[in-house]
Amino acid sequence: MEDIKLDSLEGVGPVTTRKLSDAGIHNMMDLIVRGPVEISNITGMEKETAEKIVTKARKYLADSGQLAKDFVSASDIYKRRQEIGKISTGTECLDTLLDGGVETQALTEVYGEFGCGKTQFCHTLCVMVQKSIEEGGLGGGVLYIDSENTFRPERIVSIAQANGMDPQRILDNIIVARAYNSAHQVLILEEAGTIIRESDIKLLVADSAVGLFRSEYLGRGTLSERQQKLNHFVHLLVRIAETYNCAAVATNQVMSSPDVFFGDPTKPIGGNVVAHTSTYRIYFKKSGKKRIARMVDSPHHPEEEVVFSIGEAGIIDPEDTKTKKTTKKPKAEPTDTAKDDAT
Ligand code: GTP
Ligand code: MG
């Protein structure tokens, strides 16, 4: 993607350029992603001035065909949607659920209790996205925001090998950013623009998107602040996905705890902020050794469930159960209980 410098904008001189670049805004795409309110907050410039600059940038990019215009015909939207890429999950079952794979220009949220496979799903996508378009990938790199220290290169190596790909090359195209606290996690994303452009990133992972916010903002008194910050983070994810035509995947944990007195047990921790922003939401559930994935709300997918497994090759199709002897009685499905502390 072309890197259009700020001083190509009429009325933006060296002083403003300097002020913006000190705040981590280096080109026009950054202006669009951050938006006028935030730009005014971080640079101290008047909100009106920031609005003017962002409007000019938007117009510049729209005129040069790099961004959708403000008023567009449905056929233009259709055209832009035709540019949506899909990352195959490498499994028939999840590709069916996702109607081909994880989409670009969208945020896909995966939620479920611990050990249900959210991180394994992310690792698998890190490899799959690097396949060519013909093979179900997007031929691009990954930016992986790891807030739980659960990114494991060894897993990437085994998933790459299982797919007959060169592990070294696959690892080279994954940039990992370890987030130490929620403010740091937000900062990483705010500054991601340059890396996304330079490294041809096609997949952005936030694993977990919500965990740090949850551990730092405890109690009901801090809830609105937490939701506001989380809201900002999640919206940034969506804007980046739309602006750079890349896929964003965020994970979110559902608590499995007995001390639940209210709320929907399968509601994710992020609560409504995440729900209303995600374009796709998938719920993962453990069922013995197998996993169940359900498409929860999507503008155009039917709500359905599929069964998958986890193995050396990452997320895999379930083995043929008919050939396997079952020694144990089938257990009743575990019930998930969640603390919906976001309501
Ligand atoms: P939290 O981050 O704790 O919320 O969980 P998660 O949903 O991210 O779970 P994760 O993706 O880490 O899944 C863990 C599951 O994957 C466990 O059941 C592991 O047994 C399984 N798993 C991880 N690595 C391998 C592997 O190399 N082979 C196999 N067969 N299973 C694995
Ligand atoms: Mg995890």
Side-chain angles (χ1 to χ4, degrees), residues 137-178:
L138 296 172
V142 184
L143 175 60
Y144 197 109
I145 302 177
D146 178 18
S147 71
E148 311 205 306
N149 202 14
T150 50
F151 178 80
R152 293 288 174 274
E154 302 81 7
R155 292 295 295 128
I156 298 293
V157 168
S158 63
I159 298 169
Q161 281 166 344
N163 279 281
M165 297 163 91
D166 172 15
Q168 191 57 51
R169 193 180 60 81
I170 301 297
L171 289 172
D172 285 344
N173 290 323
I174 304 172
I175 297 167
V176 182
R178 169 93 171 92

Side-chain angles (χ1 to χ4, degrees), residues 7-19:
D7 51 17
S8 331
L9 282 179
E10 187 204 321
V12 176
V15 178
T16 313
T17 305
R18 177 76 194 276
K19 206 186 264 184

Side-chain angles (χ1 to χ4, degrees), residues 115 117-120 148 150 207-208 251 253:
K118 303 181 292 293
T119 299
Q120 297 306 313
E148 311 205 306
T150 50
D207 182 27
S208 131
T251 69
Q253 207 188 46

Side-chain angles (χ1 to χ4, degrees), residues 89-139:
T89 61
T91 65
E92 254 174 58
C93 54
L94 284 162
D95 281 359
T96 306
L97 187 79
L98 289 160
D99 193 20
V102 173
E103 284 187 0
T104 64
Q105 299 177 31
L107 169 63
T108 301
E109 177 190 352
V110 182
Y111 72 98
E113 66 169 312
F114 73 93
C116 66
K118 303 181 292 293
T119 299
Q120 297 306 313
F121 179 74
C122 295
H123 278 63
T124 308
L125 288 176
C126 286
V127 176
M128 297 306 296
V129 69
Q130 298 193 43
K131 291 194 168 184
S132 66
I133 293 175
E134 297 73 45
E135 291 175 315
L138 296 172

Side-chain angles (χ1 to χ4, degrees), residues 203-272:
L203 171 66
L204 186 57
V205 175
D207 182 27
S208 131
V210 181
L212 290 172
F213 291 95
R214 185 166 175 276
S215 61
E216 289 167 29
Y217 296 91
L218 296 164
R220 299 214 147 228
T222 60
L223 193 62
S224 76
E225 192 186 348
R226 182 185 82 183
Q227 288 309 93
Q228 202 188 344
K229 297 241 158 89
L230 186 56
N231 188 20
H232 170 60
F233 179 78
V234 173
H235 275 94
L236 260 178
L237 273 179
V238 174
R239 264 178 280 154
I240 289 175
E242 287 174 349
T243 310
Y244 294 103
N245 192 16
C246 67
V249 173
T251 69
N252 191 357
Q253 207 188 46
V254 169
M255 297 299 290
S256 180
S257 67
D259 58 345
V260 171
F261 298 106
F262 58 88
D264 176 350
T266 59
K267 244 186 173 173
I269 288 161
N272 289 334

